Amino acid sequence: MEIWINPACSKCRSAVSLLDAEGADYTVRRYLEDVPSTEEIQDVLDRLGLEPWDITRTQEAVAKELGLKEWPREASSRERWIVALSEHPKLIQRPIITAEDGTAVVARSEEAVREALGRR
């Protein structure tokens, strides 16, 4: 199990605390420092069953600079979104937990973290 976090994020800290309280075996990835490649983002999207725009933080300043809200949300634009997430990792929704069963969850709630724990 791996969790992508930004240590400054309260939801990330809460998720890590819950994983620790449950005695979970996991690896922390500070994705702003250890930036995921486009392939890794694609893999996480496949595991989540989501599209890149579904995990994009569109309220971030860089999202506004890029005009992401106007970008098409369709298959032909998918790669463009994934490249933007890799080039600007702050845009990636957090935390993301990749579970041992090959799935992943955006763990912004206690319920989502517990869901990931149930997939070990």
Side-chain angles (χ1 to χ4, degrees), residues 1-4 25-29 96-99:
M1 181 180 295
E2 181 176 75
I3 183 169
W4 290 10
D25 182 22
Y26 66 95
T27 303
V28 170
R29 180 171 188 170
I96 294 176
I97 298 175
T98 55

Side-chain angles (χ1 to χ4, degrees), residues 18 105-117:
L18 182 55
V105 297
V106 178
R108 295 189 55 78
S109 68
E110 181 177 332
E111 295 77 25
V113 176
R114 292 195 182 285
E115 181 183 336
L117 283 167

